[in-house]
Amino acid sequence: MLKTVVSEIAKRIVVIVFVITGTFLLVRAAPGDPASFIAGEAASGDPEYIDYLRQQMGLDRSLPVQLGYYFRNLASLDFGQSYREGRPVFDMIAERLPNTLILAGAAFILALVMGTTAGFVAAVHRGRWIDRCISIGSVLFFSSPYYWVALLAILLFSGKLGWLPSHGTQTIGAGYTGIAAILDYLHHLVMPAMASALFTMAIYARLVRASMIDTANALFVKAAHARGMAPSRLWFRHVLRTSLLPITTMAGVQAGQLVAGTILTETVFAWPGIGRLMYDALGSRDYNVVIGVFIVTSVIVILANLLVDILYRFVDPRTRAA
Amino acid sequence: MLIWKSLFSKPDAVLALAILCAIVLAGLLAPVAYPDGPWRMVARPLLAPFADMRHPLGTDALGRDLLASLMFGARTSLAIGLVSTCVATVFGASIGAVAGFFGGRVDSALMRSTEMFQTVPSFALAILLIAIYTPSTFSIMIAISVVSWPPVARLARAEFLSMRRREFVQAALLSGQSNLRVAWSQIFPNILSPLTVMAALMVSMAILFESALSFVGLGDPKVVSWGYLISAGRGVMSQSWWLTFLPGFAIMLTIVSISILGDAIGDSQDPHFERRESK
Amino acid sequence: MAGPVLEVRDLFVSLRREVPIVDNVTFSVEAGKTVCLVGESGSGKSMIANAVVGLLPGTRLAITGGDIRFRGTSLPELGPKAMRDLRGRRISMIFQDPTSALNPVRRIRTQFDEVFSAHGVEPETGREARMRQLLELAHLPNPRRILDAYPFELSGGQRQRVMISMAMALNPDLLIADEPTTALDVTTQAQVLQLIEELKENFGTAVLFITHDFGVVAEIADDVVVLRHGRIVEQGPLEGVLKNPRNDYTRTLIAAVPHWHPRSGALDSDPLISARSLRKVFKGRFVALDDVSIDLLPGETLGIVGESGSGKSTFAKCLIGLEEPDDGELVVDGTDIMQLALPQRRRRRHLMQMVFQDPTAALNPRHTIGRTLMDVVRVNGCPRAAANDKVLSLLDDVKLDRKFADRFPHELSGGQRQRVCIARALAANPRVLIADEALSALDVSVQKQMLKLFEDLKKKRDLTIVFITHDLRVAAEICDSIVVMRGGKTLARGTPKDVLETDRHRYVEELLAAIPGQDWFSTGSAPSQLPTLEIAGQDNTHACQDSRLPPG
């Protein structure tokens, strides 16, 4: 067991090295001079900055040496400077990361709970009207760009109804403290989290439904039925439990996409996380920031997947024994 | 053909097909209907829909015809969706087929690299790729292909692997048919239906991707796209909500139709194994 | 309590309320008796079982006529709650495939315990003790370990015993057994049959036993109901049906039990293919072949017999190249092909062709029969112009109508599909035909015809046949020589007469003793060398006279 955990961790380290090397090569292969590319909008006006970049990237050395520099910098959490803000990229990311993690985490829990429930209900009542409603709902959510749904939600819930705040993490000028500040934060979190969760929720609902219907047809369910189990026991103890296992890995992959997807929701709701940071940096072509956010996001996703895989191995007796 | 027959027996599939045809037609006819392109200012800004029947869906903040923009947007979305799906499917399916057919070391090497691509968050990777190679229709297609081939590869590999163990494939190999021939004539037709369903899903994802990229400002600045229209309408959303609503609705309609069609095609291609009473 | 436990009267089960799958079936099962429903696939025998427990699959099947009475209560009229109380408590069921009949991700203890909690029953001795006691009754050593295990940690036979223990947990009045031994090896089958018999004696349970094998019927039945296409063709006490079958179909089924005619007289010539000290290890652990040496003489039929895990299929795969042995020589026509490069090896092996177990899986569902054969005919060097005639003549060879060339596999029956598979093997002009359990997926009445086809083809085409089977009697009847395998080793070899009669290995003895229905279908085993019918009859009456515990 320990051996598999270690080998899983080793695998993820390889992937992280791959991502960083890939990013490095992409930037080096960019059209034109990498330094002026990274400098972005500063390229024309600030030769001093470009020189600084050249030095930092070691552009006068060979490619492997440059890669070595790159890894050394990243290992010491040096993601370079943001030209626009004149601050280290890592600091900018670090101060916004908690917001993103809270948003993604909330969205993930929402998606998981609502998606699984919807899929479960649909599977139990398959072929009936409630199944159809859930199926139609999940197709619609799956098919709609969620930043668009977010915009419509703002229009409705903050514009028309005035129930929910449309942007930011706190009511400006309200000066809440303590519990009130937390409640205010949560109030702001509702719409972004819902909007981020919709797409993933639709996918979970479909997966859970399909997997449960598959399991429900298995012989062991019929055998349990023939032993006189009540339907509720059949569905919960036999079907749901067994079919959630294969979904776990899919859930991990989707969770990763969800983190990346917060770029859109953070943009719409002006949520001060790393997604919004990336959006702003794209607008001003502040590429050190863009690359930094990309690497951090990738690492988070890879770690989330690692967690899910290890969890899976603990939960499924068949892999646990192997 | 059997597929058509089974499609036409399902009302939702027929409706989806009709909607999709209309959208394709709109995209094809855009240059004919609006020879001047979508960028020209043609009327007063923020004209409401149905106020002036020469501009049935009204105009945007710069007085450009929304219907024209939507029709040109359809061109962009469909073209990018189709091309990147083709590229990703061909590439992914070949990788998966080789891995699944030969197995062993070839398989584990190919699948390790596929897994790496799959663990990287695709939207972030696409943004990075396009940011580095300047936004253009071409770079968007490439970026979407790069992030969407791994699932195809995994699917094709899994199918090839299970087919490879099937007895009819083994029998064909034993009878003296070459690997390539067996892969093409015995295995490939049998994995076509899962691949089709997958491809339909990928077209949807590609359209969503493209619109999201345009929304964050990474669209091709030379062409109109639905995602760009949504982000352009955002500023005036409170008074002219339809400028945001309609492009998004067009995306939704397209993808719902593709999903329904994909499922219907997948269902109709299932091989009819005779299922006898289980003893 | 007087009267039968289960009474099925004029039962009809129909698909979409139109097509009857079960057509006017009447029979009854009394306490302490075993009634066998016998039939081939499509006979509706499983449907009857499903109808009794109220678990007809899907929504389109329904009971459309007749009545099922359990201890006088009409089951179709019971509500779902009342039916649920009966299931598992008074009517139990066991299934063919014990692997998929247990939840793969829950421990045996949890699943077993559920039987008690679902019915709110607290055994006097406590659940744990009761579960262990039941497992012990099923001859499972170390019940505690079994309870702690997950299903995948048990063998097939162990799983089926667990299923049976669970079924008997609440002393049911009726046990329905749906082909419970079909997926098991013959020695395990014998033990499970004996277990069911024992439990029936101890608990006084009525048993409804579903099977296709008249050997099994002869072993355990008191009464027999023979079904075909959903109708009863014959029913009555075991002895009557076996001694004087009135119906032709019953006679076919009885005749389908392999006879006991071990052949003698060996061929003598240089081997065509000679495997020497083959070794194959899977995943570095499981030794599938351990120093196996087998010679194949030209023109002979070689039977390779063994239970699952014996390595018989692995050996065939190593011969033909679906697996490569880790070690050893494989001499084909005087050359050790293991020394050759892969493409040459493949070419040398081309003189062998294989017929697989499951003809459905062995045919591409998207190709017509004609196309399947044509592909093989063409790659084996037949010119385009002559190919079509060649395909048709292949169909003639396997006695299939030429019109089948335009059909798809799903339009054919199992036996017809297997004929196509044989034709495909012949299309490559083999000298050796390897049949890997080629009969076991087929209905018993079709198996006979298929054996005859092999025999004819062998004569006509001068074939050498390697016949891989789990059934000693089949091998004894048609093979010139036999190899018995167990655990990757060869245990015995020689002519059927030598292996099975003159010079019996202890394991062969075990295998023979395990064959069901010996009292009726001789295997040359010690007790039944005498004419057996009368003795068997007495045996059965003796069994019936046993005093019984009151039910429940």
Side-chain angles (χ1 to χ4, degrees), chain C residues 12-249:
Chain C
F12 285 84
V13 175
S14 308
L15 185 64
R16 288 192 212 93
R17 310 211 149 258
E18 291 158 18
V19 196
I21 307 289
V22 173
D23 193 347
N24 198 8
V25 166
T26 303
F27 66 91
S28 62
V29 191
E30 278 169 47
K33 298 264 184 186
T34 302
V35 171
C36 273
L37 296 182
V38 199
E40 298 181 298
S41 55
S43 63
K45 57 191 191 298
S46 288
M47 283 307 146
I48 296 173
N50 288 326
V52 171
V53 288
L55 292 177
L56 285 171
T59 48
R60 291 185 295 185
L61 282 163
I63 296 176
T64 45
D67 197 8
I68 301 170
R69 288 183 170 271
F70 174 74
R71 292 255 178 241
T73 323
S74 169
L75 294 183
E77 284 166 19
L78 278 184
K81 176 79 178 67
M83 195 63 211
R84 207 155 66 223
D85 283 342
L86 284 183
R87 281 200 287 260
R89 190 205 282 260
R90 303 190 62 191
I91 304 177
S92 283
M93 189 161 181
I94 54 176
F95 300 87
Q96 172 175 357
D97 181 6
T99 309
S100 46
L102 286 165
N103 189 327
V105 297
R106 307 183 72 200
R107 286 179 203 279
I108 301 294
R109 174 175 285 111
T110 332
Q111 302 189 46
F112 206 144
D113 193 74
E114 229 175 25
V115 178
F116 299 110
S117 52
H119 293 282
V121 175
E122 282 306 326
E124 283 164 30
T125 48
R127 291 183 188 180
E128 181 73 18
R130 177 70 177 151
M131 288 193 282
R132 289 192 199 172
Q133 184 197 0
L134 284 160
L135 290 174
E136 254 160 27
L137 279 178
H139 306 293
L140 280 166
N142 202 349
R144 182 146 151 222
R145 194 188 67 78
I146 302 274
L147 285 173
D148 281 331
Y150 286 98
F152 71 94
E153 295 169 318
L154 305 177
S155 72
Q158 285 174 324
R159 286 186 205 125
Q160 194 60 293
R161 283 165 207 244
V162 169
M163 287 298 296
I164 294 173
S165 308
M166 288 165 75
M168 302 306 289
L170 304 176
N171 295 6
D173 299 358
L174 175 66
L175 175 68
I176 300 174
D178 189 356
E179 301 251 15
T181 57
T182 310
L184 305 176
D185 277 329
V186 60
T187 43
T188 323
Q189 160 169 297
Q191 292 157 1
V192 168
L193 288 179
Q194 204 200 340
L195 172 64
I196 293 178
E197 196 71 11
E198 270 175 40
L199 293 174
K200 187 187 79 174
E201 302 285 320
N202 289 340
F203 291 87
T205 317
V207 178
L208 179 60
F209 197 102
I210 292 158
T211 181
H212 65 277
D213 182 349
F214 247 101
V216 173
V217 175
E219 182 80 24
I220 60 154
D222 296 308
D223 288 319
V224 184
V225 178
V226 184
L227 289 157
R228 188 186 199 187
H229 305 318
R231 287 204 188 92
I232 294 182
V233 294
E234 181 154 1
Q235 73 190 114
L238 175 74
E239 206 180 322
V241 173
L242 278 185
K243 260 193 203 160
N244 306 307
R246 289 185 306 274
N247 183 284
D248 279 346
Y249 182 67

Side-chain angles (χ1 to χ4, degrees), chain C residues 486-523:
Chain C
R486 182 192 201 181
K489 290 195 170 70
T490 53
L491 287 188
R493 54 198 306 164
T495 63
K497 194 98 184 156
D498 289 345
V499 172
L500 301 181
E501 287 190 339
T502 330
D503 191 16
R504 253 189 216 175
H505 188 276
R506 214 162 46 83
Y507 176 59
V508 175
E509 191 86 45
E510 255 175 65
L511 283 180
L512 287 175
I515 293 174
Q518 309 214 3
D519 299 338
W520 297 87
F521 305 100
S522 163
T523 59

Side-chain angles (χ1 to χ4, degrees), chain A residues 96-110 150 153-154 163-171 180-198 258 262 265-266 269-273:
Chain A
R96 287 155 188 254
L97 192 57
N99 280 331
T100 297
L101 290 181
I102 289 173
L103 174 57
F108 176 67
I109 292 171
L110 274 176
I154 289 179
W163 290 352
L164 294 164
S166 65
H167 64 274
T169 57
Q170 53 195 339
T171 314
I182 294 176
L183 285 178
D184 188 40
Y185 189 91
L186 290 179
H187 195 208
H188 280 79
L189 182 63
V190 174
M191 266 206 294
M194 279 296 284
S196 310
L198 283 182
L258 205 144
T262 54
T265 25
E266 288 182 8
F269 292 103
W271 185 262

Side-chain angles (χ1 to χ4, degrees), chain A residues 139-140 143-144, chain B residues 16 204 251-261:
Chain A
V139 168
L140 285 184
S143 307
S144 315
Chain B
S204 313
I251 296 176
M252 195 182 84
L253 212 57
T254 314
I255 292 173
V256 169
S257 309
I258 294 175
S259 308
I260 291 173
L261 267 186

Side-chain angles (χ1 to χ4, degrees), chain B residues 9-29:
Chain B
S9 67
K10 294 177 189 150
D12 56 342
V14 174
L15 186 65
L17 190 66
I19 291 175
L20 213 55
C21 286
I23 292 170
V24 171
L25 215 62
L28 289 176
L29 292 180

